[in-house]
Amino acid sequence: MVNPQHKFSVRNFNVHYDHFSALRNLNLEINANEIFTVIGPANSGKTTFLNSLNRLIDLVPASRCSGEILLDGIDIRAGMEVETLRRKVGIVFALPLPLPISIFENVVFGLRMQGVRDLRRLNQAVERSLRESYLWDEVKDRLSTPAMNLSGGQQQRLCTARILAGQPDVLLFDEPTSGLDPISTARIEETLLILKKKYTVVLVTNNVAQAARVGERTAFFLMGEMIEVSETGKMFTTPADTRTGDYITGKFG
C-alpha cells in the first residue's frame, strides 16, 4: 500500500559503474514537502543518488542500476516515461548554467521546448517562478538583459526559476551554494525553506552546517552506503553511528 506521505521510496537500490559499486543496497523514504539533506565525503555516492532520482544516471554509458525507486508509488524505471519523470523532478547543479540569452528566455526555455507559445502564459510563468525563487524584485525591470550579467547567486536562483517554470513536484539540488559567498548562500537557503512549502526538496551538500540549518531529515552516505538516516537535529546531536559523528565533527571528510 502506498503511503501518501512518501514522495520517494527507495528499495534495495544499487548502482554500478563497470566493476565499481557506487551505491549499495540503498533503502530510504523521502517525505512530501520536506527538505531532505544528504551529507558525506567525496565519492560517497551522493551525486549518484541524486542523479538516480530523475534518471540522469541513465546518461552514463557504464552505469547499471537494480532495485526500485518509487515516485508517488510508481516505479520510475518500469512504470514512467523518462520525459514525464524529468518534468516532475527537476535538478539544479552546483555550477549555475544560465543560457547565453535573456533572463526572460532562460526562464521560459523549457516551456518553449514543450511547445508553449502563448505570451500571456509565458509572462505569468516568468513572474511566478522568479517570485518563487526570490529573484523577481531584483530583475523585474531588466528581463530582456543577458542572464550572464547576473551575479553567481542570482544565476543560481535563475536556474531554480527555470526549473520552477515547468511546475515540477520535486526539486533536486546538488551543492547549490558551493561557489557562493555567505550572503548569496543565506539567500539560497532562505529560498529553500520557502520552496519546501510547495515542493519536495532533496539537497546534497558537503556543508554540514548547511544541512543542520535547513534539513528536516538527513542521510549520511559513506563509500556508497547509507550509514544512517534520521531527523537532522537528532543526527547532529546523538548520531547512531560513530562514523557519522566523526564526519559531522570534522575528524574526516
Side-chain angles (χ1 to χ4, degrees):
M1 183 175 179
V2 176
N3 186 332
Q5 183 182 6
H6 296 157
K7 196 65 175 177
F8 279 109
S9 296
V10 183
R11 300 173 180 173
N12 302 315
F13 190 70
N14 303 271
V15 178
H16 289 81
Y17 301 121
D18 288 328
H19 300 296
F20 174 70
S21 178
L23 283 177
R24 294 185 296 280
N25 197 34
L26 182 61
N27 290 274
L28 61 84
E29 313 285 351
I30 297 174
N31 296 328
N33 300 103
E34 74 171 340
I35 300 179
F36 185 91
T37 53
V38 183
I39 61 173
N43 300 315
S44 60
K46 305 187 303 296
T47 297
T48 294
F49 168 64
L50 204 67
N51 289 341
S52 298
L53 294 179
N54 73 342
R55 291 183 55 184
L56 280 180
I57 195 72
D58 294 3
L59 302 179
V60 181
S63 66
R64 291 181 290 111
C65 303
S66 61
E68 292 182 326
I69 298 179
L70 308 181
L71 173 63
D72 294 325
I74 301 173
D75 189 324
I76 67 170
R77 306 192 70 84
M80 188 179 299
E81 294 290 336
V82 68
E83 293 82 5
T84 300
L85 172 66
R86 290 178 186 160
R87 283 197 295 268
K88 290 177 174 287
V89 183
I91 186 166
V92 179
F93 300 100
L95 181 66
L97 296 171
L99 301 169
I101 49 182
S102 71
I103 294 169
F104 182 95
E105 290 299 331
N106 261 270
V107 177
V108 301
F109 182 81
L111 294 177
R112 290 197 188 278
M113 291 290 287
Q114 294 173 27
V116 178
R117 296 291 180 266
D118 182 77
L119 186 58
R120 180 172 175 270
R121 181 177 170 187
L122 295 175
N123 284 331
Q124 290 174 340
V126 167
E127 180 171 353
R128 174 185 53 77
S129 56
L130 286 174
R131 285 189 183 278
E132 287 186 341
S133 59
Y134 286 79
L135 189 56
W136 174 253
D137 289 339
E138 297 170 42
V139 303
K140 62 183 179 181
D141 297 323
R142 49 185 175 130
L143 295 177
S144 62
T145 62
M148 305 302 289
N149 292 347
L150 298 175
S151 70
Q154 289 174 326
Q155 288 184 13
Q156 191 64 286
R157 282 180 284 148
L158 177 64
C159 291
T160 301
R162 191 166 65 206
I163 299 298
L164 293 173
Q167 297 185 293
D169 294 335
V170 181
L171 299 172
L172 311 178
F173 290 90
D174 189 5
E175 296 286 345
T177 63
S178 60
L180 302 182
D181 61 82
I183 293 175
S184 296
T185 294
R187 185 65 62 85
I188 294 290
E189 291 178 2
E190 291 168 6
T191 302
L192 294 179
L193 290 169
I194 299 298
L195 288 174
K196 74 105 176 179
K197 296 177 182 178
K198 186 175 180 180
Y199 305 94
T200 299
V201 177
V202 184
L203 169 66
V204 163
T205 179
N206 283 330
N207 186 335
V208 295
Q210 183 173 75
R213 287 192 295 266
V214 304
E216 292 167 79
R217 291 192 305 128
T218 297
F220 172 55
F221 283 29
L222 181 65
M223 298 179 66
E225 295 183 356
M226 186 181 71
I227 304 303
E228 65 176 288
V229 58
S230 69
E231 293 181 3
T232 301
K234 179 180 179 181
M235 179 178 289
F236 277 69
T237 54
T238 55
D241 192 291
T242 57
R243 292 170 293 181
T244 308
D246 288 345
Y247 178 75
I248 290 171
T249 56
K251 293 182 180 179
F252 72 94

